Amino acid sequence: MEQQPAISDYAFLSDSRSGALVGKDGSVDWWCPHRFDGASVFGRLLDPGAGHFTLTPVGVGGPGYRMERAYLPDSLVLRTVHHTPQGSVAVTDALAAEVGARAHELGKNSPAVLIRVVQGLSGRVRMALDFVPRPEYGLLTPYLHEQPDGSVLAGAGPVVLVLRADDLDLRADVDRVSHEFEISAGQVIGMDVAFGEAYGSPPARMEPLTALAETTQAWQAFRDTHIYKGRYPQLVRHSATVLTGLTYSRSGAVAAALTSSLPEQVGGDRNYDYRYSWLRDFSLTMRALWVAACPDETTRLFAWATRSIGRFGDEPVPVLFGLEGERDISEHHCDHLRGYRDSRPVRVGNDAWRQRQLDVPGEVMSAVWRLRDYLGARFEGELQEMVLGLAEQVAATWRLPDRGIWETRDEERHYVSSKVSCWLALDRAVGLADRLGDRADPRRWAAVRDEIRDTVLREGWNERIGAFTGAFGSPELDASVLAMPVARFLPATDPRMRSTIEMVERDLGTESGLLRRWTTDPAGFLLCSFWLVECLVMAGEPKRAEALFERVIGFSNDVGLFSEQIDLTTGAQLGNTPQALSHIGLINAAWRLTEPDSF
């Protein structure tokens, strides 16, 4: 069996409704056109037979061939240049924006159209097109129908796809469209794949060159509204663009990643669906968007969270929601899919929504605190109910064990990072009490807050190891404790915190500079590595922090994308991609290097 491409081979396309991955070989191997967490129509990422759309020179990878690619400035429009012995050709790929969309209109009415434009640069190059749609994660093989206008319609189940190409005589085979054509210097051929619903609106019809120009302008106009004045501006702007690409524009929710079931370890079973929005990541996301000067995104994300949480009952606040606020996203396995490089199971849905994770209220309250000056001198209605409900829930439940921020699927524990987040929730509630009306109880909240702090300092500290460990009474280190100084629970210069940072760096760090989450973690976790950068800055070691930052950013792929983790032996990217938390970590670490006392 042919080896699947490396995760780092993929570039990310987005219309802020859905996303696609296109490999260095010119193959679109992942596209869920309905929305980020919808079913794929191209799913070769997770199984060779689950569909793809390849557009590439004949003989790609052979003698004399080389490739270079980059995003057009401040966009997720990808331009790939193929150099062959016969000549050079550029392929520009994008998911189309609505015609006329600019700045914050991006994605609100996306037409669900994949654009591919081929431009001859020199010589005469023979190109190969292979269109193999397989809707419903590869379960469906569509009927293909040649249309009078030269397009090909693919229909199966609820899905309709239409493939069009300028000046090409496309012919449908039984289950695919395979076509070869030549392109000369100066020649341009546009093509597109438009998605529609069998019993809904028909697929949009767009002129590829016009749509490509409109989409590029929409992205660039969006970035022009955001001004970042810190260090590493190009990296921060690009990571902010990636976060925009992961934002489901209709609601403002940020998907944790584009993909499902890319493994934490090749051949392993820790393969999860990350195409949802985690409240666990809420404060970090808000902070990153704030740093990158994206105020509209922060307020929309906050409004989505308030609506999604709804009224409080006895159940804990869910850790994640669907992109439009769906609560039940129960998990199932796609047993017909082989998985990325035979890493099974392939999961759709994520049962972490059922877990108790006590850190969630703290993340939300921290976000409220950050936006407090924009939310008014007195909170009313749903906002008031949410803040009061979160405070009371923390006060009532902080002594319980939970699953922790890494969402372990074994027994619950008293995780230090979760207790710190409980402290954070009540600390922020006390600070917001004068905006919450007569039901606010800052004196009681402050007493519980202080009790939590005393408990963490007593039970979380392991004198024998000389560090705060992952859970009360545990000898195991956990990189999540690096969030303690970031949350202002304890200064990084405190002797206990300083010792913890040193121990975490010593026992969980690697020669590459990457940090694992725990000692048995098989890979480096990028967010933790960026947390360590922040901790070193706050501990008064900016030069070491900068050197570490420079090493960690070197693990991005050739178009500046990060997955979740990095293989410690090969340096290969692992886990779902592009991973929002990794890009969030980069933005926040860059700002910490710019303003050490920020946040």
Side-chain angles (χ1 to χ4, degrees):
M1 174 182 164
E2 184 180 351
Q3 178 80 304
Q4 286 177 276
I7 292 171
S8 60
D9 281 359
Y10 288 104
F12 171 42
L13 311 177
S14 173
D15 57 11
S16 286
R17 159 180 164 165
S18 66
L21 292 180
V22 54
K24 291 181 177 180
D25 60 357
S27 183
V28 177
D29 288 348
W30 186 252
W31 186 30
C32 304
H34 178 65
R35 68 184 213 183
F36 291 115
D37 55 353
S40 66
V41 296
F42 302 134
R44 185 157 71 171
L45 180 73
L46 297 177
D47 190 289
H52 64 276
F53 178 20
T54 301
L55 181 62
T56 194
V58 173
V60 64
Y65 170 83
R66 63 183 178 88
M67 181 275 301
E68 58 196 42
R69 62 181 182 169
Y71 288 113
L72 300 187
D74 287 333
S75 80
L76 291 179
V77 177
L78 181 73
R79 186 173 188 265
T80 304
V81 179
H82 303 276
H83 300 283
T84 77
Q86 293 75 38
S88 297
V89 62
V91 178
T92 305
D93 294 317
L95 289 177
E98 182 186 14
V99 174
R102 292 294 182 269
H104 298 286
E105 298 171 353
L106 180 67
K108 290 185 178 179
N109 294 290
S110 296
V113 176
L114 171 65
I115 307 166
R116 313 199 76 176
V117 174
V118 188
Q119 178 185 12
L121 301 178
S122 66
R124 188 171 179 84
V125 180
R126 190 160 189 81
M127 299 290 291
L129 177 157
D130 194 29
F131 174 71
V132 188
R134 295 291 184 269
E136 293 283 317
Y137 302 107
L139 282 173
L140 296 176
T141 300
Y143 291 101
L144 301 182
H145 302 282
E146 297 170 6
Q147 303 298 298
D149 64 356
S151 64
V152 175
L153 184 148
V159 173
V160 176
L161 295 172
V162 176
L163 169 66
R164 307 181 185 93
D166 297 342
D167 304 320
L168 297 183
D169 186 20
L170 299 178
R171 289 289 180 263
D173 203 341
V174 174
D175 63 352
R176 68 203 307 151
V177 176
S178 293
H179 184 80
E180 292 190 3
F181 61 96
E182 291 188 339
I183 187 163
S184 303
Q187 186 179 4
V188 178
I189 297 175
M191 60 188 71
D192 67 89
V193 180
F195 164 80
E197 297 173 344
Y199 305 103
S201 300
R205 187 175 188 110
M206 308 187 80
E207 199 288 310
L209 272 67
T210 300
L212 181 63
E214 286 281 338
T215 300
T216 303
Q217 291 179 49
W219 276 107
Q220 292 173 343
F222 191 90
R223 284 272 63 85
D224 286 345
T225 64
H226 306 125
I227 306 300
Y228 168 77
K229 296 182 178 180
R231 299 186 63 185
Y232 303 98
Q234 290 304 115
L235 288 174
V236 169
R237 284 176 69 88
H238 182 56
S239 285
T241 300
V242 173
L243 291 181
T244 300
L246 290 170
T247 299
Y248 182 68
S249 183
R250 295 185 182 187
S251 67
V254 177
L258 177 66
T259 57
S260 173
S261 301
L262 292 183
E264 296 181 10
Q265 185 175 21
V266 172
D269 63 358
R270 288 181 58 84
N271 321 313
Y272 301 116
D273 191 349
Y274 277 10
R275 298 173 299 160
Y276 308 103
S277 195
W278 266 253
L279 290 184
R280 177 196 67 200
D281 308 339
F282 193 71
S283 179
L284 292 171
T285 306
M286 294 282 286
R287 180 179 158 203
L289 291 172
W290 196 265
V291 164
C294 306
D296 286 349
E297 287 89 330
T298 59
T299 52
R300 292 193 68 228
L301 177 59
F302 183 78
W304 166 84
T306 304
R307 182 180 180 88
S308 298
I309 290 171
R311 286 190 177 276
F312 281 85
D314 295 331
E315 294 297 314
V317 178
V319 65
L320 70 155
F321 293 92
L323 300 177
E324 293 184 359
E326 300 91 344
R327 183 167 293 212
D328 185 347
I329 47 176
S330 297
E331 183 177 299
H332 68 274
H333 294 178
C334 295
D335 293 330
H336 65 288
L337 296 176
R338 298 182 61 164
Y340 178 80
R341 297 190 179 180
D342 293 319
S343 302
R344 291 179 171 174
V346 171
R347 293 178 168 97
V348 171
N350 195 309
D351 275 344
W353 76 274
R354 305 175 188 273
Q355 294 184 356
R356 176 168 53 233
Q357 294 184 32
L358 296 177
D359 64 297
V360 173
E363 304 293 351
V364 179
M365 293 288 275
S366 182
V368 175
W369 180 259
R370 189 171 302 281
L371 284 178
R372 63 193 184 280
D373 291 338
Y374 293 84
L375 296 173
R378 184 176 177 86
F379 295 174
E380 303 286 352
E382 294 175 1
L383 174 61
Q384 183 189 77
E385 292 298 323
M386 183 185 75
V387 174
L388 289 168
L390 289 170
E392 292 300 336
Q393 187 170 100
V394 170
T397 64
W398 73 269
R399 294 181 180 84
L400 297 174
D402 75 330
R403 301 287 184 178
I405 67 170
W406 308 131
E407 298 177 357
T408 59
R409 297 197 173 192
D410 54 7
E411 72 270 19
E412 294 182 334
R413 296 178 176 86
H414 292 280
Y415 286 99
V416 170
S417 60
S418 296
K419 306 303 185 189
V420 169
S421 192
C422 290
W423 169 88
L424 179 65
L426 291 177
D427 184 70
R428 298 298 182 255
V430 170
L432 294 168
D434 60 350
R435 304 173 190 232
L436 296 174
D438 295 339
R439 287 184 291 157
D441 195 350
R443 180 172 297 183
R444 179 169 56 87
W445 293 342
V448 178
R449 174 199 63 189
D450 295 343
E451 184 183 358
I452 296 172
R453 179 182 175 83
D454 291 343
T455 303
V456 170
L457 294 178
R458 182 179 67 252
E459 303 293 337
W461 174 257
N462 189 305
E463 187 66 38
R464 182 176 63 83
I465 293 175
F468 290 101
T469 55
F472 290 177
S474 171
E476 299 296 326
L477 291 171
D478 189 314
S480 63
V481 299
L482 295 181
M484 295 170 74
V486 176
R488 304 292 188 182
F489 179 85
L490 202 63
T493 52
D494 182 282
R496 293 163 295 181
M497 199 66 238
R498 193 68 189 89
S499 177
T500 298
I501 295 168
E502 291 173 0
M503 294 298 296
V504 166
E505 188 175 14
R506 189 193 76 180
D507 290 0
L508 302 184
T510 66
E511 292 182 2
S512 63
L514 294 168
L515 205 65
R516 298 170 296 160
R517 287 171 292 179
W518 50 76
T519 54
T520 58
D521 199 356
F525 202 85
L526 286 159
L527 175 65
C528 297
S529 305
F530 287 124
W531 274 346
L532 180 57
V533 170
E534 291 201 63
C535 286
L536 290 174
V537 172
M538 290 185 287
E541 298 190 58
K543 291 189 181 300
R544 276 219 303 140
E546 183 176 354
L548 176 60
F549 183 84
E550 296 280 356
R551 294 173 74 182
V552 174
I553 61 176
F555 288 99
S556 70
N557 73 354
D558 60 317
V559 289
L561 299 179
F562 289 102
S563 64
E564 183 180 37
Q565 299 180 75
I566 302 295
D567 187 287
L568 298 176
T569 302
T570 66
Q573 293 193 357
L574 294 170
N576 287 302
T577 194
Q579 179 79 13
L581 274 181
S582 299
H583 288 276
I584 288 165
L586 182 152
I587 293 170
N588 290 337
W591 186 245
R592 184 72 68 185
L593 286 164
T594 303
E595 295 287 347
D597 295 326
S598 60
F599 312 117

